[in-house]
Amino acid sequence: MMADKQTTQLLELDTVSFDADLPFLAQPLEGDYPPRLQRETRLALRVLAAPGETPDDTNPVLMRLEAKLDLALEVSLLERHPDRPSCTPCRLGLNAVAWLDTQPWTPGQPLLLSLYPNPDSALSLCLHGRVLESRPHGGKLRLLSADIHGSFDLDTHLMWEKWVFRRHRRAILER
């Protein structure tokens, strides 16, 4: 995968990461990280961390059933979240994310990050974060990074790691 010019200019992260243009939105977080969003994110991460490869001897009936379940999940999520943020260049790492934004975020500010694992998916992740860095980037754009480790307990962090590593490896193969 060749990263575009905007993506390559994102702030560096100190862990394994991948670059993508994903539906992504940062919002101020007033109060605590809502338990409902934690639960939905945990369930979404279970789907993302599940093995993606299917053995050659997989039963076609099971594959068809899985495809039907995937379709049902996507349709129900589209109804639940009809509005989605626009695609934004972002870099997702094990403990932090980086992105471009027009908002003047300040370091230490708590925020809620909403992202979709790919542009066509209705599956959403909501992560609690704190702004680490905010730099001007020409015009109204800013380069930002946020610490997201507070979003995860041990189990959900392992699922997040699996997904990030999988996407990182795929990006290397696509180069």
Side-chain angles (χ1 to χ4, degrees), residues 6 8 22 76 81 119 124 154:
Q6 273 191 322
T8 57
L22 298 175
S76 67
H81 303 287
S124 65
L154 182 59

Side-chain angles (χ1 to χ4, degrees), residues 63-95:
M63 288 181 65
R64 184 171 162 85
L65 179 60
E66 184 176 343
K68 287 179 180 180
L69 290 172
D70 288 345
L71 177 62
L73 172 66
E74 292 289 337
V75 169
S76 67
L77 289 173
L78 282 172
E79 288 182 14
R80 184 172 169 85
H81 303 287
D83 299 324
R84 54 191 299 121
S86 60
C87 284
T88 301
C90 55
R91 177 169 290 147
L92 303 177
L94 300 179
N95 297 311

Side-chain angles (χ1 to χ4, degrees), residues 134-171:
S134 177
R135 285 189 211 159
H137 182 65
K140 294 181 180 182
L141 283 178
R142 300 190 68 78
L143 293 168
L144 293 136
S145 67
D147 178 352
I148 58 167
H149 82 273
S151 297
F152 309 113
D153 60 23
L154 182 59
D155 292 334
T156 54
H157 195 261
L158 290 173
M159 290 184 279
W160 174 261
E161 284 180 352
K162 283 181 184 179
W163 182 62
V164 170
F165 271 110
R166 186 178 297 147
R167 290 290 305 261
H168 174 74
R169 283 190 302 268
R170 189 169 77 193

Side-chain angles (χ1 to χ4, degrees), residues 29 108-113 127-131 146-151:
L29 179 63
Q109 185 174 1
L111 45 81
L112 183 64
L113 302 170
L127 306 173
H128 169 261
R130 286 206 178 275
V131 176
D147 178 352
I148 58 167
H149 82 273
S151 297

Side-chain angles (χ1 to χ4, degrees), residues 3-10 21 89 91 100 137 141 143:
D4 65 22
K5 187 176 179 182
Q6 273 191 322
T7 304
T8 57
Q9 293 178 0
L10 293 170
D21 284 348
R91 177 169 290 147
L100 289 170
H137 182 65
L141 283 178
L143 293 168

Side-chain angles (χ1 to χ4, degrees), residues 4-65:
D4 65 22
K5 187 176 179 182
Q6 273 191 322
T7 304
T8 57
Q9 293 178 0
L10 293 170
L11 295 173
E12 290 295 320
L13 303 178
D14 62 358
T15 64
V16 167
S17 63
F18 70 92
D19 294 349
D21 284 348
L22 298 175
F24 184 94
L25 177 66
Q27 305 171 75
L29 179 63
E30 305 294 331
D32 293 332
Y33 182 32
R36 178 183 61 81
L37 295 179
Q38 290 176 2
R39 187 172 48 258
E40 287 181 14
T41 297
R42 182 175 51 252
L43 293 171
L45 283 170
R46 281 189 185 158
V47 172
L48 293 173
E53 301 80 30
T54 55
D56 293 334
D57 62 348
T58 301
N59 184 332
V61 173
L62 291 177
M63 288 181 65
R64 184 171 162 85
L65 179 60

